Amino acid sequence: MTLRVAMIGYGFMGAAHSVGWRQAPHVFSLPDDIEMAVLVGRNAEAVADAAAQWGWAESATDWREVIARDDIDIVDIVTPGDSHAEIAIAALEAGKHVLCEKPLANTVEEAEAMADAAARAAARGVRSMVGFTYRRVPAVTFLRDLIAQGAVGRIAHVRAAYRQDWLVDPEMPLAWRLQKEHAGSGALGDIGAHIIDMTQFVTGLDVTAVSGVLDTIVKQRPLQGSGSGLSGTAADGVGEVTVDDVAIFTGRLSTGALVSFEATRFATGRKNDLSIEVSGDKGALRFDLEDLNTLWFYDRTAPETTQGFTRILVTEAQHPYVAAWWPAGHMLGYEHGFSHQVVDLVTAISEGADPHPSFAEGLSVQRVLAAVEESSQSDSGWVRVGAPVVAETSAG
Amino acid sequence: MTLRVAMIGYGFMGAAHSVGWRQAPHVFSLPDDIEMAVLVGRNAEAVADAAAQWGWAESATDWREVIARDDIDIVDIVTPGDSHAEIAIAALEAGKHVLCEKPLANTVEEAEAMADAAARAAARGVRSMVGFTYRRVPAVTFLRDLIAQGAVGRIAHVRAAYRQDWLVDPEMPLAWRLQKEHAGSGALGDIGAHIIDMTQFVTGLDVTAVSGVLDTIVKQRPLQGSGSGLSGTAADGVGEVTVDDVAIFTGRLSTGALVSFEATRFATGRKNDLSIEVSGDKGALRFDLEDLNTLWFYDRTAPETTQGFTRILVTEAQHPYVAAWWPAGHMLGYEHGFSHQVVDLVTAISEGADPHPSFAEGLSVQRVLAAVEESSQSDSGWVRVGAPVVAETSAG
Amino acid sequence: MTLRVAMIGYGFMGAAHSVGWRQAPHVFSLPDDIEMAVLVGRNAEAVADAAAQWGWAESATDWREVIARDDIDIVDIVTPGDSHAEIAIAALEAGKHVLCEKPLANTVEEAEAMADAAARAAARGVRSMVGFTYRRVPAVTFLRDLIAQGAVGRIAHVRAAYRQDWLVDPEMPLAWRLQKEHAGSGALGDIGAHIIDMTQFVTGLDVTAVSGVLDTIVKQRPLQGSGSGLSGTAADGVGEVTVDDVAIFTGRLSTGALVSFEATRFATGRKNDLSIEVSGDKGALRFDLEDLNTLWFYDRTAPETTQGFTRILVTEAQHPYVAAWWPAGHMLGYEHGFSHQVVDLVTAISEGADPHPSFAEGLSVQRVLAAVEESSQSDSGWVRVGAPVVAETSAG
Amino acid sequence: MTLRVAMIGYGFMGAAHSVGWRQAPHVFSLPDDIEMAVLVGRNAEAVADAAAQWGWAESATDWREVIARDDIDIVDIVTPGDSHAEIAIAALEAGKHVLCEKPLANTVEEAEAMADAAARAAARGVRSMVGFTYRRVPAVTFLRDLIAQGAVGRIAHVRAAYRQDWLVDPEMPLAWRLQKEHAGSGALGDIGAHIIDMTQFVTGLDVTAVSGVLDTIVKQRPLQGSGSGLSGTAADGVGEVTVDDVAIFTGRLSTGALVSFEATRFATGRKNDLSIEVSGDKGALRFDLEDLNTLWFYDRTAPETTQGFTRILVTEAQHPYVAAWWPAGHMLGYEHGFSHQVVDLVTAISEGADPHPSFAEGLSVQRVLAAVEESSQSDSGWVRVGAPVVAETSAG
């Protein structure tokens, strides 16, 4: 059969998702055909241009009408986070499978409603998935597999960071992404969400409590031009940055192990540097997104004199997703994860299985984010994830 | 207008070229539309399957018929090297633009005929290009640009290697690619060709003489199964490897600078490791295909105490080809070069310009390869490139 | 003149300090001669053996007698931390210059008394220095110099970690170093002290508040043999680990910038991995002790397309301390810092200047350590450094 | 007993050897005591200063007198190569154990005479050793051990390079080291000798034939000042460089495996970069002197999906020479090899064994150097090592 896709939204993520929909059917053997049917956006002309550029058959401006169409099977949501809940719930209720870009929502409440809707839909055979695409970088999937096979043994601790530097320049003008009323959150929700999800994904463990601090390093930025739509801006040509640009927090996993997290937009020279290191009593694994075809594995069960971190090129046919691409040693890039996402979603739909990450997993990330904000507002005291008030101390 | 493409051949390179034709129009703003019109191969069923998988509108079995069609504008040749000359010359004479996978041909004679045909075609506005795709890895293009801008100053020497390890296991069975009558050449023609082209491309200089040695490390391999079509195989279950699996040679550039070349299929642990380092009196540049988003630049004009190799992530919008893809720090992979190749070919066709690398450049690589073979057969004495007999010594 | 040295203590640090005293006079041009006069320890036979091995002229068992001798100019203290205060204060009062191994003391109170004694002694021309030797790795000294010259601009944040793995094996037996009554502290005081000092040293800024958590990953360990002198051990063959083996904390510098700190003995595969990265609006600098001849510098003022982290080999004659050693590209190792420490101490004595790090600097590290412990005991709330109770929140 | 040492020569190598003699007895448990007895040089005042700086008990100006003394046991020769033969043979005949810095001599004839003298001396219990100190970097010794244990299996080929950049600047003035009548040889003899010795040492195989080219990239350099003692210099302020500054050659090992060698003083940004990679059918090992505590090991017998180059920190107590130094993860540097050299020489003397590398091994390196020069003069044709004329081709 043919699965017809409607994508709502057409920013940077729209370009990336389009590559996934376009490439996956021609590189992998999918159980169903894919049709890039409709691209939806509010500006008719702009969305028509984007549809033509990216290869969508049609464009439309009203997502509700599109969702109501019988000839649409999958709804792919790449709009800003504040509209995720409404669109996703409507689509699920209309019986459409839903792929929703991360973060699942801007608030725990919305995410809860979405997870509920997804659970109800699943009972009717309708699938949903959150777009934490980095899970599908082959090296990350393989890292998770190795941990599941016991390669690191009992996990002692985890170190996860996502570091960028696009705010380093204090003269960079204010933008809507730096105002809370528009963006909802800063570094924490944008890139911190990725390292929370990746930690939970690769370890198979929940973050159960957090202690942390959010900070805004440059608190005022120049306004550029008039009519910028920025709220509450000062008469003197500068405006307030009202979201965090760095989040440093410590988490505790369900086993009691600690995780150090850092999300920052001020790490000069670090462009898109998500890194994770998992240490256990049998070994360690580490990954860095700026070197994404590589996985480092330290095997404590190897002979003592030849132990060391092994640099594994995750480009062999036996590695996850790789066989469909190129021979060993031929590098994959950023957008390949979007093809893998399509493969896994379409396969799950065809097999009648629930794909991961589920909306429930997206909700659990949202709860950790909320707990970090609460901790930061409470003198960095420990906050139990999911609990409405400061939990009893889980550390000491 | 729309450029309709016919691709002849459908092996590994067919998959890679298909990605280029499929992606380029949706990622870049091309001056013309692309239509993936016909895929051509000898086995009707297999080529039809490949066409369906890769997204070609039709398939066909007779390349001559396809070339004769009026509705084909570009012929993309990805067959084995021994058929390149016949197809390319016919296509050029039929007025089709030609993209021909490297190496241009299996012999200097064929390559000369092709270069002649290309020159004649160019006079009629018909374009031709050889598929040395690694030129279009952004880091390689940028390396060339930096050299052209004087970043390394006067070139003192170059070190270029292409190292793989797929022949390391002596128990790997014999295959047609290891027999001269089938494959034409071994490591030299397959991967040595890349480092010769890349050296000439980035330096802007010709290799004018060579001295080198070819070697076959494992000279006999087990035969696997019967009727394998391998020639002259022994009754005892083993057959002869008749191509080189390692080529070590030294070249001299037109300025007199030396180049050390090494092409090998026996570099254990090296999967697809093309590396080049250019040293000059103002600086040095190095690149490694297993880390393809990175360029290392040593600037001797920097203050003495802070000199060092700078690790440049070639993922900024200002770097070649990058702006059409992702934000800074988002990695590109192996197949992006095939999209860039399409962009440059289509742009050249549209602008009425000759793209590079030209068939003449492909011929010059072929002449270097032939000179290396001759040197190896002549006790590694120096051979002037292009000369039919051992040239007077250019080194001493 | 000749400076006669008495060293109290002869463990691992005794070996390292001995190299410094032995090498410095023969590699550098010191203003005074050095005489390795007396090695002091409680076990007469063992200390005599050590003195013979390491090249000390005499050995002795009573440090008080040695301090009282007229022919001793410098007292070098490498005993466990709980004896530092008594010996150092006595030596300073006896008019001896003192080099005291880090951490300055086991408690803030002791450290305060020592800093007071050092201040009184300085008024009489008697010098004192704490052995934070890593300050004198040439790459670290140079990193500090570059920051002082403005190379990173305004500091946005700092990331500092010291990671080892010698406790990873849960079967490693209990030892006195893992019991609080013997060792005083665990990872925090042992290796956390280094990254606190290094952060303050290279940035020139104080850590003014901290929030953090200490943890003990393996809480019980097997007892090995009887009569081990371990306290409170259980009848069932296992004993309690009563010090932290991981410390994760966030600090705030006097400018408001955040620092993420991590000290752990459970980072599988990390042997002695002290790393620091300082990010600012003009650039970034990072250093890793497992690659100690190297400094990475990102210069945001460089042309955009060639920005990147530059790998500086800090082995040029113009780099700190290097000219006395070997030509460029010849690596230095761990113990060279101990020679540099001797050079700087002896030079300061000769010039009548106070060397760094002073006892006051050692005290400031001690205060940060105490604040981290207090924060960990207070649900990780923020603790102002030097303040006796939880300070008002400095973050939020 | 006590071994009294006389060292002849006091340049850069004199400083390095002095560290070895000074440190080894205090770090290792040597079977005999060491006395740094006499430093010998032609300039009485300068050699007296050097003796005082480096800790030699006496100085002297006549090496013949020193060799004749009864109270000298070991003669350590660190003079320029043209005096090695005379001094070493005289010392051996006088019954002194001899440590001779590399290269063994400036000509094959001298080296042959020295090897003969060493063989005669060995029969009388007198030991000799050549100073190829890099053999005693722990990572190199361990690399050799791993190969001997079969870690790489059958060796397919070797890639060895020694790259420096101190001649890159064409304005660097002419010096005696760049004139053949003074220096004997250029990059080939100075640094090429190291990679030849290391290749033979780690593989346990001889280089039996070579083909190569020597080149002088900057052929004229400015003269600096008058009375420089440089020969044949031009009236116009520039003089001729008459030694090679780059040597590129291919060797064949006794098993038939090829080795690519490169020695250059023009590799911009490479300070002291000796690298070697040995590839075999079971694995590969590589080492780089600019990262000298590290060894990279690829194990083809590991599970396929986790194969990769393992970065081994050669700082564990079980690694060669390391136990006497510091705990795991504490780095060693350039000069540690000189202490190891002393340990091995003194141990051999004490045990009545012949240390390595022997003068015969030094001679074999000399023969390879001579063969490379001959090949370069013979159009890079293959030259059998040790044979007086161009040998029959060993490659084709």
Side-chain angles (χ1 to χ4, degrees), chain C residues 64-183:
Chain C
R64 286 181 185 80
E65 282 182 18
V66 171
I67 282 178
R69 281 165 56 165
D70 284 345
D71 64 346
I72 295 299
D73 302 292
I74 296 174
V75 172
D76 182 4
I77 305 170
V78 295
T79 55
D82 56 0
S83 57
H84 286 184
E86 185 180 12
I87 302 173
I89 293 170
L92 288 168
E93 291 181 349
K96 313 303 186 194
H97 309 295
V98 171
L99 170 59
C100 182
E101 188 49 36
K102 55 67 52 182
L104 187 57
N106 276 6
T107 67
V108 169
E109 292 66 31
E110 289 171 338
E112 285 173 340
M114 293 170 80
D116 285 348
R120 290 193 304 270
R124 305 190 311 270
V126 176
R127 310 296 161 194
S128 48
M129 184 195 246
V130 191
F132 282 112
T133 325
Y134 292 146
R135 288 186 174 203
R136 294 179 162 89
V137 172
V140 174
T141 311
F142 186 50
L143 191 163
R144 193 268 319 258
D145 294 348
L146 286 173
I147 289 179
Q149 291 160 20
V152 307
R154 181 174 173 84
I155 292 172
H157 59 83
V158 180
R159 184 171 162 88
Y162 202 145
R163 298 188 292 160
Q164 301 179 331
D165 74 353
W166 57 278
L167 288 185
V168 163
D169 187 349
E171 297 308 311
M172 211 192 75
L174 193 62
W176 70 265
R177 301 182 66 174
L178 303 180
Q179 294 206 312
K180 196 171 185 67
E181 57 272 48
H182 299 291

Side-chain angles (χ1 to χ4, degrees), chain A residues 84-125:
Chain A
H84 285 184
E86 185 180 12
I87 303 173
I89 293 170
L92 288 169
E93 292 181 348
K96 313 303 187 194
H97 308 293
V98 172
L99 170 61
C100 182
E101 188 47 37
K102 55 65 51 182
L104 187 58
N106 275 6
T107 68
V108 169
E109 291 67 30
E110 289 171 337
E112 284 172 340
M114 293 171 79
D116 286 347
R120 289 191 306 271
R124 305 189 312 270

Side-chain angles (χ1 to χ4, degrees), chain A residues 142 146 286 296-298 304-313 316 318-319, chain D residues 142 146 286 296-298 304-313 316 318-319:
Chain A
F142 186 51
L146 286 173
R286 61 188 162 96
W296 293 85
F297 174 38
Y298 189 98
E304 278 193 48
T305 54
T306 53
Q307 285 183 16
F309 276 98
T310 298
R311 184 174 184 270
I312 303 170
L313 271 185
E316 300 289 326
Q318 302 96 321
H319 290 134
Chain D
F142 186 51
L146 285 174
R286 61 188 162 94
W296 293 86
F297 174 38
Y298 189 99
E304 277 192 48
T305 55
T306 54
Q307 286 183 18
F309 276 99
T310 298
R311 184 174 185 269
I312 303 169
L313 271 186
E316 300 289 325
Q318 302 95 320
H319 289 136

Side-chain angles (χ1 to χ4, degrees), chain C residues 20-37:
Chain C
W21 293 115
R22 192 189 310 126
Q23 287 280 76
H26 295 301
V27 174
F28 291 83
S29 295
L30 296 185
D32 294 299
D33 288 336
I34 298 289
E35 189 181 318
M36 295 170 71

Side-chain angles (χ1 to χ4, degrees), chain D residues 97 147 150 241 301 361:
Chain D
H97 308 295
I147 290 180
V241 175
T301 69
E361 289 176 277

